[in-house]
Amino acid sequence: MSYVNAFAAAVPTANREKFKKHAEIAAGIFKENGALSVVECWGNDVPDGKVTSFPMAVKLKADETVVFGWLIWPDKATSDAAMEKMMADPRMQPDANPMPFDGQRMIFGGFETIVKA
């Protein structure tokens, strides 16, 4: 089965278009490096929680929006190789494609698919 990378981040709401441009560039590079699918989502119904929530996980501030995304890969090996290539790709360097959000508050992980319906 496929392998999934997922993430959530807090993006300044005013940076929506900057984030979209950043994400479009990154998505193209991920696809060049073997991603089967790339999805980036802008939160519009992301409630605060009492114990846990997306806003709590990313330490959301009043002027920010939660974004959530995932990448589908054929397998973990392809994902790992692509991540190395992404870090070295000049199109992803901060001077060429700066992250329009605080990357230190992004949460991310890799997941093995166990059910696909």
Side-chain angles (χ1 to χ4, degrees), residues 1-37:
M1 282 207 180
S2 55
Y3 190 74
V4 178
N5 291 127
F7 76 92
V11 176
T13 303
N15 286 355
R16 180 182 170 130
E17 288 307 311
K18 288 179 184 177
F19 175 79
K20 185 178 177 189
K21 181 179 176 186
H22 173 83
E24 288 170 341
I25 292 168
I29 301 168
F30 280 125
K31 297 278 288 194
E32 286 174 20
N33 287 298
L36 302 174
S37 177

Side-chain angles (χ1 to χ4, degrees), residues 93-110:
Q93 299 310 306
D95 59 327
N97 189 15
M99 288 194 317
F101 60 93
D102 179 0
Q104 292 181 341
R105 291 187 287 138
M106 180 171 66
I107 59 172
F108 57 90

